């Protein structure tokens, strides 16, 4: 996975094998800054080992309430977010999808699950229906596909 890391000489695309390697170099001073999911950085921020400067979401992260958004920091168009979504094969029966959706929503609504996942940086949406997830992913595609095409990026 590639991460953008800022070295002393400027911005460079650095191919790291996951966020942990980037965090190690951040803490060790080999890179000046980088970007990754809040779930990777939250505990290091709380421990004072690194400082999260801003989050890219449209609101402050539940796990990092002291960290402003990029929009709050003067970059109103720098808004991005991601979600973990449980996908199934396209031919999965609607009744099965509904059963899985109810089960996942029930687990994500448990106070201890919400507390543990929130502590490491997840903002939970346990009430999301299948239709809401489809609308969310369609909106992401509509927003980012033109940006990806305009950049000339070609996937591996």
């Amino acid at each position: 996975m590639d991460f953008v890391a800022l070295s002393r000489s400027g911005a460079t695309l650095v191919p790291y094998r996951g966020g942990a390697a980037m965090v190690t170099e951040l803490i060790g001073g080999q890179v000046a800054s980088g970007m990754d999911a809040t779930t990777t950085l939250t505990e290091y921020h709380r421990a004072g080992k690194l400082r999260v400067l801003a989050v890219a979401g449209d609101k402050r992260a539940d796990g990092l309430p002291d960290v402003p958004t990029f929009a709050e920091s003067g970059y109103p168009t720098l808004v991005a977010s991601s979600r973990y979504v449980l996908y199934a094969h396209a031919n999965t029966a609607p009744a099965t999808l509904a059963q899985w959706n109810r089960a996942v929503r029930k687990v994500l609504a448990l106070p201890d699950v919400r507390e543990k996942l929130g502590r490491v940086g997840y903002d939970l949406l346990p009430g999301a229906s299948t239709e809401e997830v489809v609308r969310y992913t369609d909106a992401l595609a509509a927003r980012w596909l033109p940006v990806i095409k305009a950049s000339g990026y070609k996937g591996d």
Side-chain angles (χ1 to χ4, degrees):
M1 181 171 288
D2 293 340
F3 295 90
V4 174
L6 297 179
S7 66
R8 308 257 182 258
S9 60
T12 306
L13 183 64
V14 180
Y16 285 104
R17 289 181 163 257
M22 183 191 66
V23 168
T24 299
E25 291 199 356
L26 277 170
I27 292 171
Q30 286 85 14
V31 295
S33 65
M35 293 182 79
D36 199 0
T38 57
T39 54
T40 302
L41 306 170
T42 298
E43 292 301 319
Y44 295 101
H45 175 80
R46 286 191 188 133
K49 293 183 178 186
L50 57 78
R51 193 170 112 206
V52 177
L53 302 175
V55 296
D58 58 359
K59 67 178 187 69
R60 290 185 180 210
D62 293 344
L64 296 167
D66 59 320
V67 176
T69 65
F70 276 104
E72 290 174 311
S73 300
Y75 302 93
T77 60
L78 185 50
V79 178
S81 64
S82 63
R83 300 279 185 261
Y84 286 96
V85 177
L86 178 62
Y87 290 98
H89 190 278
N91 295 331
T92 305
T96 301
L97 295 175
Q99 180 182 11
W100 288 352
N101 185 270
R102 284 190 304 274
V104 170
R105 290 168 64 178
K106 184 176 179 179
V107 170
L108 291 177
L110 295 171
D112 61 325
V113 171
R114 292 184 62 77
E115 189 274 325
K116 288 175 184 172
L117 291 175
R119 187 173 53 234
V120 295
Y122 287 99
D123 294 336
L124 299 179
L125 300 172
S129 67
T130 302
E131 294 78 19
E132 289 168 318
V133 170
V134 169
R135 280 194 301 275
Y136 173 80
T137 55
D138 287 349
L140 278 182
R143 178 174 183 193
W144 292 110
L145 283 176
V147 173
I148 293 166
K149 287 179 182 177
S151 76
Y153 176 78
K154 303 284 186 242
D156 294 340

